Amino acid sequence: MKFLKPWTFFFVAAAVCLGRTEPSRQPIIDVHLHSASDSALKGGWPDPVPGISKPASAREHTQQTLAMMDRYNIVLGIASYDSENVERLRLAAPDRIWAGLSYGIPGFEIEKMRSLYKSGKLRIMGEVCAQYDGLSPSDPVLEPYFALAESLDVPACVHMGVSFSGITQSAPKFRVSMGNPLLLEEMLNRHPKLRVWIAHMGFPYLQETIGILSVYPQVSIDTSAIDWLASPEPFLSYLKELIKNGLGDRIMFGSDQMDWPEAIGIAVETIEKAAFLTAEQKRDILYNNAARFLRLSPEQIAKHHESR
Ligand SMILES: [Zn+2]
């Protein structure tokens, strides 16, 4: 106690008077969440970083994901999975979850999908994970999906970059080369009105990602997975390069918590602790860029900023 300066007591007392002991966060949008299934939680990958573990069931995964969103003031989450499991998460928090399908593209029947968008059950195309099928995002088999998204003005998220070490043993068609962001280019030119975001910042394809972002203003990127799975240094140096290239208004926060809801907090804190980012740049990444990309209304934005 002897090391505390007198003003410390003032702030502690003020915080206690306000009924809280830590500063509350400004609102955050997480553009890359997933639901989970019971079977996936039983098998799948071992816990990838120390101190986190998988929930025992899909129901618990939903509860823990929403609890982490509460804790970090994540006011909107873009979540994808198969249609049944993502609907469970959406129904648990319909005001805070926008749903998409990360399973079944290609394959899902287009007219059925159109009716899911019309009903509001789906609001996002993807995460399109065709890379796991060894497909380029510009492959003709994906055309009906991107055409549908463009016609409905629904943004599309495309998995790009890398995956887990050893992924081809469980997903034998996965190819790193199909995650090169340059492969988006033909699709982008076929669908010039489609808003697209590149998952995982296209990591490690830095120059290719900068090239696509420089030429196509309708493209953004998310920080997901590498903001908690990798050690911070490669993620932060990649992020710094994007900022240095003037792309700070195109980067959206994503966690991609997959089976591990606690990863959401690690990902938020990685951005918050990035010493080279200004407070304004952090706000852009954690909220403003996504609010603009997703075309949130002034009313929605004002509501998100109401104090908790
Ligand atoms: Zn994902």
Side-chain angles (χ1 to χ4, degrees), residues 188-189 191-197 213 215-220 250 293:
L188 290 171
N189 281 287
H191 305 288
K193 293 194 189 120
L194 179 64
R195 282 171 287 155
V196 173
W197 84 94
L213 290 173
V215 170
Y216 298 97
Q218 69 272 40
V219 179
S220 284
R250 311 282 286 285
F293 179 82

Side-chain angles (χ1 to χ4, degrees), residues 32 34 127 200 256:
H32 198 132
H34 290 288
E127 180 186 9
H200 320 305
D256 194 4

Side-chain angles (χ1 to χ4, degrees), residues 32-34 80 102 127 129 159 199-200 224 256 258:
H32 198 132
L33 288 166
H34 290 288
S80 60
S102 52
E127 180 186 9
C129 292
H159 183 285
H200 320 305
S224 69
D256 194 4
M258 296 179 271

Side-chain angles (χ1 to χ4, degrees), residues 69-119:
M69 289 176 70
D70 285 341
R71 186 162 154 201
Y72 284 88
N73 199 18
I74 294 172
V75 291
L76 178 62
I78 309 295
S80 60
Y81 210 70
D82 62 48
S83 56
E84 183 188 329
N85 283 295
V86 81
E87 178 64 0
R88 184 191 54 254
L89 177 58
R90 188 188 73 83
L91 282 176
D95 294 340
R96 286 195 292 160
I97 297 289
W98 289 12
L101 298 182
S102 52
Y103 284 88
I105 303 174
F108 209 92
E109 196 193 316
I110 287 290
E111 287 314 310
K112 195 172 166 198
M113 199 175 247
R114 187 192 305 277
S115 70
L116 290 171
Y117 285 110
K118 288 266 153 75
S119 71

